[in-house]
Amino acid sequence: MNDAFLALIEFRRKKSKLTRREVAQRLEVDTSTYYRKESGKTEFTATEIFRVISLLGMEKDVEQQIFLNKGCVKATEEC
């Protein structure tokens, strides 16, 4: 997962006034596991990504990451 997306998760979590522990509880993972994921040491699963996006209200942020950033993953040869 790219650093910009991880930073966005942290920013949105703090903006939502949620602690890492609270997010971990909602994802049903240990707090230390969530810390490693948010800090980029381990990967989020696809299910966790969708749950974090929903929990933190990041739908619009994700759309911008996917469609507006040059480093995005696309199904075309342009990237």
Side-chain angles (χ1 to χ4, degrees):
M1 185 161 292
N2 76 34
D3 292 340
F5 190 68
L6 293 172
L8 181 59
I9 289 173
E10 181 179 11
F11 172 78
R12 294 293 293 201
R13 176 183 57 76
K14 289 178 179 179
K15 187 175 180 183
S16 299
K17 297 185 181 345
L18 293 170
T19 64
R20 285 185 174 127
R21 181 180 181 154
E22 291 168 324
V23 174
Q25 288 173 338
R26 293 188 189 182
L27 293 179
E28 299 174 352
V29 299
D30 188 72
T31 303
S32 62
T33 299
Y34 180 76
Y35 174 81
R36 286 191 302 275
K37 291 174 185 277
E38 188 179 275
S39 64
K41 293 179 179 151
T42 59
E43 293 286 325
F44 282 95
T45 66
T47 301
E48 290 168 342
I49 291 169
F50 288 113
R51 290 175 75 190
V52 167
I53 288 168
S54 177
L55 174 66
L56 301 179
M58 294 175 55
E59 292 84 357
K60 297 242 183 231
D61 297 326
V62 172
E63 288 174 15
Q64 290 176 351
Q65 281 272 321
I66 293 170
F67 297 110
L68 300 179
N69 288 345
K70 286 189 175 185
C72 67
V73 176
K74 293 183 186 176
T76 67
E77 295 178 25
E78 296 175 10
C79 284

XYZ file of all heavy atoms in Angstrom:
646
model
N 0.858 -1.169 0.000
C 0.000 0.000 0.000
C 0.903 1.230 0.000
O 1.912 1.258 0.685
C -0.872 -0.048 1.253
C -1.888 1.048 1.325
S -3.220 0.686 2.455
C -4.018 -0.639 1.601
N 0.540 2.250 -0.772
C 1.449 3.391 -0.880
C 1.384 4.303 0.345
O 0.396 4.337 1.074
C 1.235 4.152 -2.198
C 0.001 5.017 -2.220
O -0.394 5.585 -1.211
N -0.605 5.150 -3.371
N 2.473 5.013 0.571
C 2.606 5.864 1.755
C 1.545 6.950 1.809
O 1.080 7.297 2.888
C 3.997 6.503 1.794
C 5.093 5.479 2.048
O 4.782 4.383 2.567
O 6.250 5.766 1.723
N 1.165 7.490 0.656
C 0.154 8.552 0.629
C -1.186 8.031 1.141
O -1.889 8.726 1.887
C 0.005 9.119 -0.781
N -1.529 6.812 0.759
C -2.797 6.243 1.210
C -2.762 5.954 2.706
O -3.728 6.209 3.416
C -3.140 4.981 0.416
C -4.534 4.500 0.668
C -5.630 5.230 0.239
C -4.761 3.313 1.345
C -6.922 4.799 0.476
C -6.044 2.872 1.584
C -7.130 3.607 1.147
N -1.634 5.454 3.202
C -1.497 5.202 4.637
C -1.577 6.507 5.425
O -2.215 6.559 6.487
C -0.184 4.475 4.927
C -0.088 3.054 4.398
C 1.321 2.519 4.581
C -1.112 2.150 5.053
N -0.956 7.554 4.912
C -1.028 8.863 5.575
C -2.464 9.381 5.577
O -2.921 9.985 6.556
C -0.105 9.862 4.881
N -3.177 9.125 4.513
C -4.576 9.536 4.421
C -5.429 8.797 5.446
O -6.286 9.396 6.104
C -5.100 9.294 3.012
C -6.543 9.703 2.738
C -6.754 11.191 2.998
C -6.917 9.354 1.308
N -5.173 7.505 5.620
C -5.901 6.735 6.632
C -5.659 7.332 8.013
O -6.594 7.552 8.784
C -5.490 5.244 6.597
C -6.026 4.578 5.336
C -5.981 4.514 7.847
C -5.535 3.160 5.129
N -4.404 7.613 8.327
C -4.082 8.185 9.636
C -4.750 9.551 9.803
O -5.332 9.844 10.852
C -2.569 8.308 9.815
C -2.189 8.865 11.171
C -0.691 8.971 11.376
O 0.072 8.815 10.405
O -0.293 9.227 12.526
N -4.673 10.391 8.779
C -5.284 11.719 8.835
C -6.790 11.618 9.078
O -7.336 12.288 9.950
C -5.002 12.478 7.538
C -5.758 13.774 7.431
C -5.336 14.903 8.122
C -6.898 13.854 6.651
C -6.041 16.095 8.037
C -7.606 15.044 6.550
C -7.185 16.165 7.249
N -7.455 10.767 8.294
C -8.915 10.635 8.430
C -9.294 10.020 9.774
O -10.309 10.380 10.355
C -9.469 9.800 7.279
C -9.335 10.464 5.923
C -10.188 11.679 5.817
N -11.592 11.270 5.842
C -12.589 11.979 5.400
N -12.359 13.154 4.873
N -13.810 11.535 5.474
N -8.484 9.096 10.281
C -8.759 8.507 11.597
C -8.694 9.573 12.666
O -9.590 9.685 13.505
C -7.750 7.380 11.897
C -7.933 6.788 13.299
C -6.891 5.727 13.599
N -5.524 6.172 13.489
C -4.893 6.928 14.400
N -5.524 7.359 15.476
N -3.620 7.252 14.222
N -7.654 10.403 12.621
C -7.513 11.470 13.612
C -8.622 12.499 13.466
O -9.156 12.986 14.458
C -6.140 12.128 13.484
C -5.019 11.231 13.968
C -3.665 11.882 13.777
C -2.552 10.995 14.290
N -1.226 11.598 14.094
N -8.974 12.829 12.232
C -10.048 13.783 11.984
C -11.380 13.251 12.517
O -12.206 14.020 13.000
C -10.152 14.067 10.483
C -11.118 15.167 10.139
C -11.074 15.489 8.658
C -12.060 16.593 8.341
N -12.114 16.887 6.920
N -11.561 11.952 12.458
C -12.765 11.310 12.975
C -12.719 11.127 14.489
O -13.648 10.583 15.074
C -12.956 9.944 12.307
O -13.118 10.085 10.924
N -11.591 11.552 15.083
C -11.379 11.444 16.528
C -11.460 9.999 17.028
O -11.998 9.715 18.092
C -12.354 12.339 17.292
C -12.153 13.800 16.980
C -13.048 14.659 17.838
C -12.941 16.041 17.599
N -12.596 17.091 17.253
N -10.910 9.113 16.221
C -10.830 7.712 16.600
C -9.390 7.355 16.916
O -8.471 7.806 16.240
C -11.324 6.810 15.458
C -12.798 6.891 15.120
C -13.097 6.146 13.825
C -13.640 6.316 16.251
N -9.214 6.548 17.927
C -7.871 6.064 18.246
C -7.578 4.825 17.409
O -8.479 4.217 16.831
C -7.769 5.685 19.741
O -8.653 4.580 19.987
C -8.117 6.866 20.637
N -6.317 4.451 17.380
C -5.955 3.213 16.686
C -6.668 2.034 17.334
O -7.094 1.106 16.658
C -4.442 3.013 16.725
C -3.705 3.926 15.785
C -2.225 3.607 15.776
N -1.554 4.391 14.774
C -0.493 5.151 15.012
N 0.012 5.223 16.227
N 0.073 5.836 14.050
N -6.772 2.090 18.633
C -7.445 1.005 19.361
C -8.904 0.875 18.934
O -9.405 -0.233 18.724
C -7.345 1.243 20.861
C -7.978 0.158 21.668
C -7.874 0.417 23.147
N -8.481 -0.697 23.846
C -8.171 -1.066 25.056
N -7.256 -0.407 25.723
N -8.771 -2.079 25.604
N -9.595 2.007 18.800
C -10.996 1.978 18.397
C -11.162 1.415 16.990
O -12.071 0.621 16.730
C -11.608 3.372 18.495
C -11.756 3.861 19.921
C -12.081 5.341 20.023
O -11.561 6.131 19.198
O -12.841 5.703 20.933
N -10.282 1.824 16.078
C -10.353 1.307 14.714
C -10.042 -0.189 14.725
O -10.733 -0.981 14.064
C -9.413 2.067 13.759
C -9.396 1.428 12.376
C -9.826 3.533 13.660
N -9.038 -0.582 15.484
C -8.680 -2.005 15.584
C -9.868 -2.822 16.088
O -10.166 -3.892 15.539
C -7.487 -2.184 16.510
N -10.557 -2.320 17.092
C -11.709 -3.032 17.627
C -12.792 -3.194 16.563
O -13.395 -4.258 16.434
C -12.278 -2.307 18.842
C -11.396 -2.413 20.063
C -11.870 -1.546 21.217
O -12.598 -0.583 21.031
N -11.440 -1.908 22.422
N -13.020 -2.150 15.783
C -14.050 -2.220 14.739
C -13.648 -3.145 13.599
O -14.498 -3.725 12.938
C -14.390 -0.832 14.239
C -15.069 -0.021 15.341
C -15.589 1.269 14.857
N -16.037 2.082 15.991
C -16.582 3.256 15.861
N -16.752 3.793 14.666
N -16.970 3.932 16.919
N -12.339 -3.269 13.377
C -11.852 -4.202 12.361
C -11.701 -5.614 12.912
O -11.406 -6.544 12.162
C -10.497 -3.746 11.807
C -10.469 -2.474 10.991
C -9.050 -2.157 10.558
C -11.382 -2.575 9.795
N -11.874 -5.734 14.224
C -11.737 -7.014 14.923
C -10.330 -7.583 14.800
O -10.127 -8.763 14.521
C -12.793 -8.006 14.446
C -14.205 -7.514 14.714
C -15.288 -8.414 14.132
O -14.967 -9.366 13.374
O -16.464 -8.143 14.434
N -9.337 -6.682 14.986
C -7.933 -7.093 15.031
C -7.313 -6.509 16.297
O -7.840 -5.570 16.892
C -7.131 -6.631 13.782
C -7.702 -7.234 12.519
C -7.065 -5.125 13.679
N -6.178 -7.057 16.675
C -5.453 -6.553 17.831
C -4.930 -5.144 17.542
O -4.614 -4.820 16.392
C -4.280 -7.492 18.143
C -3.610 -7.138 19.444
O -4.221 -7.395 20.500
O -2.480 -6.614 19.389
N -4.835 -4.322 18.571
C -4.351 -2.950 18.397
C -2.952 -2.930 17.782
O -2.671 -2.118 16.901
C -4.353 -2.196 19.745
O -5.673 -2.228 20.280
C -3.924 -0.749 19.571
N -2.072 -3.815 18.218
C -0.712 -3.837 17.656
C -0.738 -4.243 16.185
O 0.057 -3.738 15.387
C 0.200 -4.763 18.462
O -0.266 -6.088 18.413
N -1.659 -5.103 15.813
C -1.804 -5.493 14.408
C -2.230 -4.294 13.578
O -1.674 -4.037 12.507
C -2.842 -6.626 14.261
O -2.387 -7.754 15.012
C -3.056 -7.009 12.811
N -3.201 -3.543 14.081
C -3.656 -2.362 13.343
C -2.538 -1.329 13.233
O -2.339 -0.731 12.176
C -4.898 -1.722 13.981
C -5.313 -0.515 13.190
C -5.972 -0.655 11.985
C -4.958 0.768 13.603
C -6.288 0.441 11.207
C -5.273 1.872 12.841
C -5.938 1.696 11.643
O -6.236 2.799 10.871
N -1.786 -1.130 14.300
C -0.671 -0.181 14.269
C 0.309 -0.550 13.152
O 0.748 0.313 12.384
C 0.043 -0.137 15.621
C 1.276 0.726 15.586
C 1.170 2.113 15.709
C 2.533 0.177 15.384
C 2.296 2.925 15.635
C 3.664 0.973 15.316
C 3.536 2.349 15.444
O 4.647 3.143 15.366
N 0.644 -1.832 13.048
C 1.576 -2.277 12.007
C 0.998 -2.038 10.614
O 1.715 -1.659 9.689
C 1.946 -3.750 12.194
C 2.895 -3.992 13.354
C 3.460 -5.400 13.366
N 2.445 -6.437 13.419
C 1.881 -6.895 14.537
N 2.247 -6.399 15.715
N 0.970 -7.852 14.478
N -0.290 -2.207 10.475
C -0.933 -1.983 9.175
C -0.934 -0.495 8.825
O -0.570 -0.114 7.723
C -2.352 -2.546 9.178
C -2.382 -4.061 9.221
C -3.790 -4.591 9.366
C -3.805 -6.082 9.521
N -3.737 -6.818 8.269
N -1.335 0.358 9.780
C -1.404 1.788 9.505
C -0.014 2.383 9.268
O 0.128 3.339 8.514
C -2.107 2.524 10.658
C -2.384 3.985 10.340
C -3.088 4.717 11.462
O -4.324 4.651 11.537
O -2.373 5.349 12.278
N 0.989 1.791 9.886
C 2.353 2.300 9.708
C 3.060 1.673 8.498
O 4.213 2.015 8.216
C 3.179 2.082 10.978
O 3.335 0.714 11.242
N 2.377 0.767 7.792
C 2.939 0.194 6.576
C 3.849 -0.996 6.777
O 4.482 -1.475 5.830
N 3.928 -1.506 7.990
C 4.799 -2.653 8.245
C 4.178 -3.962 7.787
O 4.888 -4.895 7.441
C 5.157 -2.711 9.722
C 6.020 -1.533 10.132
C 6.377 -1.560 11.589
C 7.267 -0.355 11.863
N 7.164 0.147 13.183
N 2.859 -4.036 7.811
C 2.138 -5.184 7.259
C 0.995 -4.649 6.402
O 0.590 -3.497 6.546
C 1.580 -6.119 8.358
O 0.693 -5.393 9.191
C 2.679 -6.738 9.186
N 0.488 -5.499 5.528
C -0.548 -5.088 4.581
C -1.951 -5.249 5.168
O -2.209 -6.172 5.938
C -0.455 -5.935 3.315
C 0.799 -5.714 2.507
C 0.793 -4.391 1.765
O -0.277 -3.965 1.309
O 1.870 -3.798 1.632
N -2.839 -4.341 4.769
C -4.259 -4.512 5.044
C -4.783 -5.589 4.095
O -4.344 -5.672 2.943
C -5.030 -3.221 4.736
C -4.913 -2.154 5.778
C -3.958 -1.154 5.666
C -5.781 -2.116 6.857
C -3.858 -0.147 6.606
C -5.693 -1.105 7.808
C -4.731 -0.123 7.685
N -5.743 -6.385 4.556
C -6.426 -7.288 3.635
C -7.424 -6.457 2.836
O -7.760 -5.328 3.216
C -7.191 -8.393 4.386
O -8.261 -7.794 5.138
C -6.278 -9.198 5.299
N -7.922 -7.003 1.744
C -8.914 -6.285 0.935
C -10.150 -5.959 1.772
O -10.670 -4.844 1.714
C -9.294 -7.110 -0.288
N -10.594 -6.901 2.570
C -11.771 -6.674 3.429
C -11.506 -5.537 4.410
O -12.370 -4.680 4.613
C -12.132 -7.968 4.189
O -12.411 -8.994 3.247
C -13.324 -7.759 5.101
N -10.319 -5.523 5.012
C -9.980 -4.452 5.965
C -9.945 -3.100 5.277
O -10.388 -2.102 5.851
C -8.631 -4.743 6.625
C -8.671 -5.906 7.577
C -7.290 -6.373 8.000
O -6.284 -6.055 7.328
O -7.217 -7.081 9.019
N -9.429 -3.053 4.057
C -9.377 -1.785 3.322
C -10.784 -1.238 3.131
O -11.053 -0.069 3.413
C -8.667 -1.958 1.963
C -7.179 -2.231 2.179
C -8.869 -0.723 1.086
C -6.446 -2.664 0.929
N -11.697 -2.082 2.672
C -13.071 -1.627 2.465
C -13.732 -1.200 3.771
O -14.475 -0.216 3.806
C -13.905 -2.703 1.764
C -13.549 -2.876 0.320
C -12.956 -4.034 -0.130
C -13.780 -1.855 -0.601
C -12.611 -4.199 -1.464
C -13.442 -1.992 -1.936
C -12.861 -3.170 -2.366
N -13.442 -1.903 4.846
C -14.032 -1.546 6.143
C -13.473 -0.218 6.656
O -14.210 0.608 7.193
C -13.812 -2.669 7.144
C -14.668 -3.902 6.777
C -14.400 -5.071 7.659
N -15.019 -4.861 8.960
C -14.798 -5.642 10.004
N -13.987 -6.677 9.900
N -15.383 -5.400 11.152
N -12.161 0.003 6.484
C -11.549 1.267 6.911
C -12.108 2.433 6.087
O -12.435 3.483 6.634
C -10.007 1.212 6.801
C -9.385 2.585 6.918
C -9.433 0.288 7.857
N -12.221 2.233 4.788
C -12.767 3.271 3.914
C -14.162 3.667 4.373
O -14.483 4.854 4.496
C -12.777 2.795 2.446
C -11.349 2.767 1.906
C -13.665 3.686 1.579
C -11.207 2.046 0.577
N -14.987 2.676 4.663
C -16.352 2.940 5.112
C -16.366 3.579 6.500
O -17.055 4.577 6.724
C -17.141 1.631 5.125
O -18.438 1.844 5.609
N -15.605 3.023 7.418
C -15.547 3.519 8.792
C -15.116 4.980 8.856
O -15.690 5.776 9.609
C -14.586 2.657 9.619
C -14.297 3.113 11.047
C -15.552 3.027 11.901
C -13.184 2.279 11.649
N -14.126 5.349 8.050
C -13.573 6.698 8.099
C -14.181 7.639 7.061
O -13.753 8.775 6.935
C -12.048 6.639 7.924
C -11.290 5.805 8.972
C -9.812 5.797 8.676
C -11.565 6.321 10.385
N -15.182 7.163 6.337
C -15.843 8.003 5.344
C -14.898 8.473 4.252
O -14.927 9.629 3.843
N -14.081 7.562 3.751
C -13.025 7.911 2.806
C -13.391 7.660 1.350
O -12.520 7.707 0.481
C -11.757 7.114 3.138
C -11.135 7.467 4.447
S -9.734 6.400 4.849
C -8.694 6.580 3.406
N -14.637 7.425 1.033
C -15.016 7.068 -0.324
C -14.534 8.086 -1.354
O -13.934 7.736 -2.363
C -16.535 6.888 -0.437
C -17.069 5.672 0.316
C -17.344 5.902 1.801
O -17.073 7.019 2.310
O -17.832 4.973 2.454
N -14.758 9.362 -1.114
C -14.334 10.414 -2.060
C -12.812 10.496 -2.135
O -12.250 10.711 -3.199
C -14.924 11.756 -1.665
C -16.427 11.784 -1.728
C -16.877 12.792 -2.718
C -18.388 12.833 -2.672
N -18.990 12.719 -3.941
N -12.141 10.338 -0.991
C -10.674 10.362 -0.971
C -10.108 9.247 -1.846
O -9.141 9.445 -2.574
C -10.144 10.189 0.457
C -10.556 11.310 1.382
O -10.657 12.457 0.917
O -10.781 11.034 2.572
N -10.705 8.079 -1.761
C -10.232 6.928 -2.525
C -10.452 7.161 -4.017
O -9.581 6.875 -4.830
C -10.917 5.627 -2.052
C -10.590 4.464 -2.972
C -10.499 5.312 -0.630
N -11.600 7.696 -4.373
C -11.859 8.010 -5.778
C -10.787 8.948 -6.318
O -10.281 8.752 -7.416
C -13.233 8.655 -5.944
C -14.388 7.708 -5.756
C -15.723 8.421 -5.783
O -15.785 9.590 -6.224
O -16.710 7.814 -5.355
N -10.430 9.956 -5.547
C -9.399 10.899 -5.984
C -8.051 10.205 -6.111
O -7.307 10.451 -7.053
C -9.316 12.077 -5.026
C -10.525 12.977 -5.107
C -10.486 14.091 -4.090
O -9.638 14.124 -3.207
N -11.418 15.017 -4.201
N -7.707 9.348 -5.160
C -6.442 8.610 -5.216
C -6.369 7.768 -6.486
O -5.351 7.710 -7.146
C -6.314 7.673 -4.002
C -5.895 8.328 -2.738
C -4.401 8.372 -2.605
O -3.715 7.431 -2.970
N -3.879 9.446 -2.095
N -7.464 7.105 -6.798
C -7.476 6.196 -7.936
C -7.449 6.939 -9.264
O -6.694 6.608 -10.164
C -8.703 5.262 -7.872
C -8.559 4.318 -6.684
C -8.865 4.471 -9.176
C -9.802 3.521 -6.376
N -8.282 7.968 -9.398
C -8.477 8.578 -10.698
C -7.677 9.843 -10.969
O -7.517 10.234 -12.113
C -9.966 8.860 -10.917
C -10.789 7.608 -10.929
C -11.658 7.327 -9.904
C -10.644 6.687 -11.960
C -12.410 6.161 -9.911
C -11.381 5.519 -11.973
C -12.274 5.261 -10.945
N -7.155 10.493 -9.930
C -6.475 11.765 -10.152
C -4.966 11.721 -9.947
O -4.263 12.577 -10.457
C -7.087 12.849 -9.252
C -8.580 13.116 -9.476
C -9.066 14.186 -8.511
C -8.864 13.526 -10.902
N -4.456 10.760 -9.212
C -3.014 10.699 -8.948
C -2.281 9.961 -10.055
O -2.737 8.951 -10.557
C -2.737 10.006 -7.608
C -3.131 10.878 -6.441
O -3.342 12.072 -6.599
N -3.242 10.281 -5.277
N -1.105 10.457 -10.418
C -0.320 9.851 -11.491
C 0.182 8.469 -11.124
O 0.364 7.630 -11.989
C 0.856 10.749 -11.848
C 0.438 11.963 -12.617
C 1.639 12.687 -13.131
C 1.194 13.833 -14.009
N 2.300 14.494 -14.637
N 0.465 8.219 -9.867
C 1.012 6.923 -9.458
C -0.054 5.864 -9.251
O 0.206 4.848 -8.652
N -1.219 6.071 -9.762
C -2.330 5.160 -9.516
C -2.180 3.850 -10.271
O -1.416 3.727 -11.207
C -3.652 5.806 -9.883
S -3.811 6.110 -11.647
N -2.959 2.899 -9.841
C -3.020 1.619 -10.540
C -4.236 1.673 -11.447
O -5.345 1.867 -11.011
C -3.175 0.465 -9.525
C -3.332 -0.859 -10.251
C -1.987 0.440 -8.583
N -3.996 1.528 -12.734
C -5.075 1.553 -13.716
C -5.022 0.291 -14.561
O -3.986 -0.345 -14.660
C -4.945 2.772 -14.654
C -5.151 4.089 -14.014
C -5.063 5.169 -15.075
C -5.122 6.548 -14.482
N -4.934 7.583 -15.489
N -6.115 0.015 -15.209
C -6.163 -1.135 -16.102
C -5.810 -0.705 -17.529
O -6.314 -1.232 -18.496
C -7.547 -1.754 -16.057
N -4.946 0.292 -17.648
C -4.518 0.746 -18.969
C -3.012 0.740 -19.024
O -2.331 0.560 -18.017
C -5.017 2.183 -19.246
O -4.350 3.083 -18.370
C -6.515 2.305 -19.079
N -2.473 1.001 -20.175
C -1.020 1.035 -20.347
C -0.438 2.407 -20.012
O 0.770 2.575 -20.076
C -0.672 0.649 -21.779
C -1.053 -0.779 -22.103
C -0.745 -1.123 -23.538
O 0.141 -0.496 -24.137
O -1.384 -2.033 -24.074
N -1.266 3.380 -19.653
C -0.782 4.736 -19.424
C 0.041 4.876 -18.153
O 0.868 5.754 -18.044
C -1.958 5.700 -19.379
C -2.696 5.782 -20.686
C -3.933 6.645 -20.571
O -4.100 7.316 -19.547
O -4.721 6.640 -21.523
N -0.162 4.050 -17.170
C 0.555 4.188 -15.893
C 1.947 3.625 -15.978
O 2.267 2.746 -16.656
C -0.204 3.512 -14.774
S -1.623 4.434 -14.205
